[in-house]
Amino acid sequence: MSTIHLITGSTLGGAEYVADHLSDLLQELGKDTEIHNHPNLNDIDPQGTWLVVTSTHGAGDYPENIQPFIAQLQDTPPNTQALNYSVIAIGDSSYDTFCGAGLHCHELLEDIGATALAECLTIDVLRHPVPEEAVEDWFEDHKHLF
Ligand SMILES: Cc1cc2nc3c(=O)[nH]c(=O)nc-3n(C[C@H](O)[C@H](O)[C@H](O)COP(=O)(O)O)c2cc1C
């Protein structure tokens, strides 16, 4: 069974909590998971399934910890023919660039040839102060994909 890679972009830790929770839910289904809080493309198999969980900072920017990984994907995209992915974007709808990083990542992965398992999920922290609860509902509807 191939490992599901959870890749996080987080400044304040919220997206990491969401990824931890998703990882627990996947493990309850008997899946193998690996969390990458400092993702490096060289360490992550570009086959199988990626779940990217990223917040947005600055003005629509990626959190610093995930910026090198995104640059690697843009500069030297791997062969993604056998890669499925899903992106969970966390943001605050009071910003014009609501969930800008996650939405960008979803398009980037599609552009380099990976297959989206689902639309990008956007979680608004104004509506969901505990984003883990929103992701739990989403997971219930999407767990058959993993
Ligand atoms: C300085 C700052 C800038 C932010 N900029 C954006 C933004 O451009 N778009 C957005 O949707 N959310 C923005 N947010 C909201 C964060 O994405 C949100 O608080 C998120 O829960 C933080 O997740 P994290 O704990 O994983 O870093 C910003 C938050 C801060 C503190």
Side-chain angles (χ1 to χ4, degrees):
M1 182 176 49
S2 69
T3 300
I4 299 175
H5 294 276
L6 292 109
I7 296 159
T8 66
S10 184
T11 299
L12 307 170
E16 287 183 14
Y17 285 129
V18 169
D20 286 347
H21 191 53
L22 269 174
S23 174
D24 290 345
L25 293 170
L26 286 161
Q27 287 183 6
E28 282 168 21
L29 288 183
K31 307 289 177 190
D32 275 341
T33 62
E34 197 173 332
I35 299 177
H36 303 269
N37 291 329
H38 297 282
N40 182 334
L41 190 53
N42 300 324
D43 304 332
I44 307 178
D45 190 354
Q47 299 189 8
T49 304
W50 289 2
L51 255 171
V52 181
V53 184
T54 185
S55 60
T56 296
H57 279 271
D61 298 332
Y62 286 95
E64 271 182 25
N65 73 300
I66 199 174
Q67 286 180 10
F69 176 77
I70 297 297
Q72 285 176 308
L73 283 178
Q74 287 171 320
D75 297 344
T76 51
N79 181 338
T80 55
Q81 270 182 346
L83 178 65
N84 295 322
Y85 73 93
S86 194
V87 178
I88 316 275
I90 301 170
D92 176 330
S93 60
S94 65
Y95 289 86
D96 290 346
T97 46
F98 174 56
C99 284
L103 291 166
H104 179 270
C105 184
H106 182 93
E107 275 187 29
L108 172 61
L109 288 168
E110 194 165 52
D111 285 350
I112 64 170
T115 303
L117 290 170
E119 297 282 295
C120 179
L121 171 68
T122 56
I123 300 178
D124 181 0
V125 292
L126 291 186
R127 287 185 53 218
H128 300 284
V130 184
E132 288 91 323
E133 289 173 7
V135 93
E136 214 167 295
D137 291 343
W138 176 87
F139 187 74
E140 212 33 54
D141 293 340
H142 292 84
K143 61 186 179 189
H144 61 282
L145 298 171
F146 297 102

